[in-house]
Amino acid sequence: MNRRAGLLATAFIITALGPVFPQQPGPQDGVSFRIIVVETADAARQLLQQLAGGENFVALAQKISVDPSGSNGGLVGPLRLADLRPELRSALEGLTVGQLSGVVPLPTGFAILKIVPAVEAAATASFTPSQLRDAPMGSFTSALSATGSVKYVFDVSGYNETVTSLRQYSPPEQEKQNLLTLCQMRKGLITAAQALVQKVLSSANGTNPIAPSDRAQTYFLDAQLHAFRGEMAPAIEAFEKARQVAAAEFPSMQWQMEEALGVAYLHKAELDNGVYHEPGQRCLLLDHVAPFANTTDVVKAIDHFSRYLAEKPDELEVRWLLNLAHMFAGTYPDKVPRAQLIPPSAFTSTEDAGRFIDVATPAGLKSFAAAGGVIVDDFDGDGRLDVVTSSIDSCEPMHFFRRTEDGGFTEQAAKAGLGGQLGGLNIVQTDYNNDGRHDILVLRGAWEIPQRKSLLRNDGNGTFTDVTAASGLSNLLTSTQAAVWTDIDNDGHLDLFVGNENGPAQLFLNKRDGTFEDIAPKAGVARSGFNKGVAAADYDNDGWPDLYVSNLGGSNFLYRNNHDGTFTESGTAAGVTGPGQGFPTWFFDYDNDGYQDLFIGSYVTSVDEVARAHLRLPRNGNTLKLYRNLRDGSFQDVTRQVGLDKALMVMGANFGDIDNDGFLDMYLGTGNPSYAALVPSVLLRNDGGTAFVDVTASSGTGELHKGHGVAFADLDDDGDEEIVFEVGGATPGDAHALRLFENPGHGRDWITLKLVGVRTNRAAIGARITVTVQGAAGRRSIHRVVGSGGSFGASPLQQHIGLGPAAQNVDVEIWWPTSDTRQRFLNVGRNQALEITEFAREYTQLRRLPLRLGGGTP
């Protein structure tokens, strides 16, 4: 098996699935093909002779191709012919399935191409860009020049295989609209796939033997389907059978099975030791992690990783996993071979940010779920912040944790009418009808198949009503996790911008009667891309909100508001085209100069890259991006100079002020569906607007498991922000407990501002805040914009603002762009919460009683 064996195994089983789950008819909008790129024309001509003589295209691609697709047999796509370079388009247009092209000159070398059969094209179409191990969809040329050296994580999870089955089936629209039906269908597909695999294997062991390669692939698929559900014992048994076939027939391929077995044993050890339900410090990367009580399977994982490294000692991904396994076994660093040791010094922080302790369980935030979103805000108007979570699992309901008077949380999703809201990778709060109550938008279908959104109206009595159909938001099903609420026309009513995967974005204009109209085409924002994050802010300070789209593949989009209901795409002109593999994004004023800067998280799904960062080795993947606003409509890329020159697999992320110094820090949740993607999430402290310092280890926030929704919020009302972290992977076998990292406090002053719009939208989204304060370093200004923060995870709309130590002469100014009015309040005092209503001459002090997370006063 090669490192994308799951792709071929899935294609194999799709043939069997066809009669049981016939594919619904639909247009073919792309071409999938294999490509081998070599460095010289002579090498290409020799390669063409070898292929014409019958040598295996896949094997040669893996062996000699210099293109990033080589690691998965040269397979790329589906891509529209119109999006390809002219020479590639010309070469493919004249080919039939299975036919070889001639030698095609490219900027990166010389290529041979072959269009793949329909069954392989179907499997390719089912994979997300990050999992194809080459170019993101729609960005083939960028991959040829940008990511050729990246070693992507080996997938052990079964997620790709199950999503392939789901997409191959392509259920009717009415099934996608019904959340319960979608849940039942997903379960049925997985069960049917497992049954068919067993049927193939039983037949192969009887009267209908199959080729060794097909047998190995089928065992691999069997293992992946078990791994998806967290059934690691039968998964290990199937991986072992695949390894035995590979060892006998394909010796060069057995090493991938050694890694697969190591990952499977490691995941089994985590599950059997209860790490996912009660994580504690056992999955926090400090200078080590707490060892497990039962290390039997960890020792087996170490054995398989060691065998692999004996053959391939330079493989950083397996080296990283070997070191983690020794940590879990309690034998790190002493028992790690010197040549493979990642030293403890590689995991330390240069600064002490104070230790954050996970208090989710004593606080009552008991949630165990797969990947999902999180919102922290006051949904019942009692002045205390509640917590809402969602899950990508089509059968998992939302969770609604209401904050009680004693400081703890109680789960009240069913009571709130949210028990039937299943699935949803991301959620975001709003007040779409200006009734003063926070509503919820649920986003579904990301990475999988188009599904319905849910707009949940807060009824003010502790319950929510699904008004999606009535609002007009259910007319078109999409695959999305990216949306932002903003008032594009300054009419005082919030509009909705939605970024979709491989489809046009949507811009829903609020018609002020509870309904919305999609005006994206006429507004000029209906561009298609693999949208993974969207953000809104007034980056040019003209009083009108602009839009930004982060794409996983190709350039990002910046839409400048023309003040007439239309936008002009200005990404290239403004210098913010992004990292090429963008994911979460946000506007924020990181340097407090009064202009909104722009952050984009890269999604480089590579354990190898993470290991390189810790070992101080040169990176290969695309970095995070931070663009500083130059105040003239353009931005400067300051990524390197502020210390963000990192290639990470960033998913959920957000920003807040962990130390109340007035500068915004960020927490980056990382991961990938693969169980091999055991990498720490990252906490970065903003050092006075000049640099970001990694304080992950010292803060104790280096969660190794999959990081999704992130919110910063002062949950205990003591004047500093906690981090609420929705942890969990994309499969039932990778579900995880919610994390609540309590802030240890830093002794600095603060102020919390809750704004209420009158002519502006009631939630005050987009209102601008300037707090001026006298401190030890003199008088300075701190700038904030009302919003929920990042694009994957939602912080409260009330703004918590750190003032630094010994703050004096605290002045607050609010600019309301909708009414273009300003309010200024002098000497308001520090360490308090205020409510400010648009046009009001006075503010209201809000009562805050610090409560211990888990109950009682501190």
Side-chain angles (χ1 to χ4, degrees), residues 72-254:
N72 69 312
L75 193 58
V76 296
L79 301 170
R80 296 188 308 163
L81 284 173
D83 291 338
L84 294 174
R85 297 183 60 86
E87 55 268 47
L88 292 173
R89 184 167 62 247
S90 298
L92 289 169
E93 283 177 337
L95 294 182
T96 59
V97 172
Q99 183 182 2
L100 295 170
S101 74
V103 176
V104 182
L106 295 173
T108 53
F110 298 84
I112 310 293
L113 300 93
K114 181 176 73 170
I115 295 180
V116 299
V119 64
E120 292 185 41
T124 311
S126 302
F127 283 83
T128 61
S130 63
Q131 295 152 348
L132 273 175
R133 311 178 64 81
D134 58 292
M137 296 180 188
S139 184
F140 182 68
T141 54
S142 68
L144 289 175
S145 60
T147 58
S149 304
V150 174
K151 292 185 178 180
Y152 291 87
V153 63
F154 182 29
D155 180 37
V156 176
S157 69
Y159 182 69
N160 291 337
E161 287 75 9
T162 58
V163 171
T164 295
S165 299
L166 185 66
R167 291 182 175 179
Q168 180 73 7
Y169 174 42
S170 186
E173 293 296 298
Q174 61 268 26
E175 291 189 18
K176 297 178 187 176
Q177 287 277 7
N178 189 301
L179 300 179
L180 183 58
T181 299
L182 197 61
C183 160
Q184 294 169 340
M185 180 199 68
R186 181 70 172 267
K187 285 182 176 179
L189 282 170
I190 297 168
T191 300
Q194 286 186 308
L196 283 169
V197 168
Q198 291 305 313
K199 183 178 180 180
V200 170
L201 290 173
S202 297
S203 175
N205 292 329
T207 58
N208 298 305
I210 60 176
S213 60
D214 288 342
R215 183 189 295 271
Q217 290 167 4
T218 307
Y219 281 133
F220 185 91
L221 177 56
D222 186 34
Q224 291 283 64
L225 293 174
H226 282 295
F228 177 83
R229 288 178 161 170
E231 301 162 350
M232 300 314 297
I236 288 169
E237 182 180 353
F239 277 136
E240 177 58 33
K241 290 178 180 177
R243 188 196 67 80
Q244 292 173 6
V245 175
E249 302 287 343
F250 317 105
S252 64
M253 300 179 181
Q254 75 177 77

Side-chain angles (χ1 to χ4, degrees), residues 365 367 372-379 385-391 397-402 409 411 413 416 418 421 426-429 438-442 456 464 709 711 724 726 738 793-794:
L365 288 175
S367 170
V374 62
I375 304 171
V376 180
D377 220 316
D378 180 8
F379 286 94
L385 296 174
D386 310 303
V387 176
V388 184
T389 65
S390 65
S391 171
M398 294 176 64
H399 293 280
F400 179 64
F401 296 97
R402 183 176 178 272
F409 292 87
E411 224 289 22
L418 300 177
Q421 293 295 330
N426 196 15
I427 49 179
V428 61
Q429 79 273 44
H438 292 320
D439 314 299
I440 299 173
L441 178 71
V442 184
L456 309 175
F464 294 81
V724 185
E726 173 74 4
L738 182 74

Side-chain angles (χ1 to χ4, degrees), residues 412-437:
Q412 297 192 354
K415 183 177 179 181
L418 300 177
Q421 293 295 330
L422 307 176
L425 185 56
N426 196 15
I427 49 179
V428 61
Q429 79 273 44
T430 183
D431 182 1
Y432 78 95
N433 55 0
N434 282 344
D435 64 357
R437 299 187 289 263

